[in-house]
Amino acid sequence: MRSILIKYLSNNRIITDVVLILLCALIFLLPSLYKINLHDFSIDQLIVGIDDWNRYARHAIDINENGLLISNDSGNYLIPAGFLYNYFIALCFELFGENPAFVYCMQSALLGTTIALSYFIFRDFLKPKTGWLFLIALIVLGYLDIYLNYSFRLLSENLAIFTIMLFFLFLKKMIFFNTNRLQVLTGTLLGISQLTRPNIILFSS
């Protein structure tokens, strides 16, 4: 009977978590959909320039047209620093077409998902009311900082915050349930995060 009750509560929590992830993602996705209808986000303008978002766009197009090696970058890859982020953009372009607006929407949804994951990491250490206040604070700060300043630019921070939060979520699980599978998964997420945003290498030191 006890095992059935634990399984029931566990399944209910999974459903609640999924719903919360979807709600947080929608909180940031819906205003993004509204914003892309008001502005023309042209790929032709984006690929011209020397800023990181211009270079990421050019690399992503090159990946889709010429293969994974980024042939328009002669010699060793140097800039922008977020190497793996190039392939994230290339995947978005491949799935949705070469329109940065769809990447911005994806990044906005990832931001909402990241906020939900942040809440999952800390909620077991907080009282229920404190936990909900923490979640609301995350949403507000996420909107005022990351959404307004990063979500509508091709910058590796948009993907890195998601992979880093996944890393910490599974690191927390590994502390309590130290299995080989969790060790491999946690290490893999740390590697992905470093390839996405190399300046987080201090995490592995």
Side-chain angles (χ1 to χ4, degrees):
M1 183 69 180
R2 182 181 177 185
S3 61
I4 295 174
L5 179 61
I6 292 174
K7 185 176 181 180
Y8 172 77
L9 293 174
S10 177
N11 289 338
N12 275 359
R13 188 168 192 179
I14 291 173
I15 294 172
T16 303
D17 288 352
V18 171
V19 171
L20 184 59
I21 289 173
L22 292 175
L23 286 175
C24 287
L26 284 174
I27 286 172
F28 291 91
L29 178 60
L30 292 178
S32 298
L33 293 172
Y34 176 74
K35 188 173 181 177
I36 66 174
N37 284 325
L38 298 178
H39 302 278
D40 179 27
F41 296 100
S42 170
I43 188 65
D44 296 325
Q45 296 177 0
L46 186 59
I47 60 176
V48 178
I50 60 172
D51 290 310
D52 283 357
W53 46 86
N54 306 127
R55 297 178 190 272
Y56 281 129
R58 290 197 294 269
H59 288 335
I61 292 172
D62 183 77
I63 289 168
N64 286 337
E65 292 181 351
N66 302 310
L68 299 177
L69 297 181
I70 311 181
S71 59
N72 67 10
D73 221 32
S74 58
N76 295 327
Y77 182 89
L78 296 175
I79 55 176
F83 173 72
L84 199 61
Y85 183 65
N86 293 298
Y87 297 92
F88 169 75
I89 303 171
L91 177 61
C92 290
F93 282 174
E94 183 68 22
L95 293 175
F96 307 116
E98 292 179 359
N99 186 341
F102 293 111
V103 183
Y104 302 150
C105 288
M106 180 67 72
Q107 292 179 162
S108 300
L110 278 180
L111 173 58
T113 303
T114 301
I115 287 172
L117 296 179
S118 304
Y119 167 72
F120 296 156
I121 292 171
F122 293 101
R123 68 177 169 187
D124 293 331
F125 308 107
L126 301 170
K127 295 179 180 179
K129 289 183 179 179
T130 308
W132 288 115
L133 289 174
F134 175 65
L135 177 60
I136 293 170
L138 286 174
I139 293 171
V140 172
L141 292 174
Y143 178 83
L144 294 176
D145 184 11
I146 300 172
Y147 180 79
L148 293 181
N149 296 308
Y150 290 89
S151 292
F152 279 75
R153 286 183 176 176
L154 299 185
L155 291 170
S156 61
E157 289 89 343
N158 291 292
L159 179 60
I161 58 170
F162 173 70
T163 60
I164 291 170
M165 210 51 61
L166 271 180
F167 161 74
F168 279 115
L169 181 67
F170 283 101
L171 179 64
K172 175 190 172 185
K173 291 182 179 294
M174 193 181 73
I175 292 173
F176 294 100
F177 309 100
N178 190 9
T179 65
N180 292 334
R181 182 179 299 178
L182 280 174
Q183 289 178 8
V184 171
L185 182 57
T186 305
T188 301
L189 286 168
L190 180 57
I192 290 172
S193 299
Q194 287 186 198
L195 287 172
T196 305
R197 191 70 186 162
N199 61 0
I200 65 163
I201 195 170
L202 293 175
F203 285 170
S204 61
S205 61

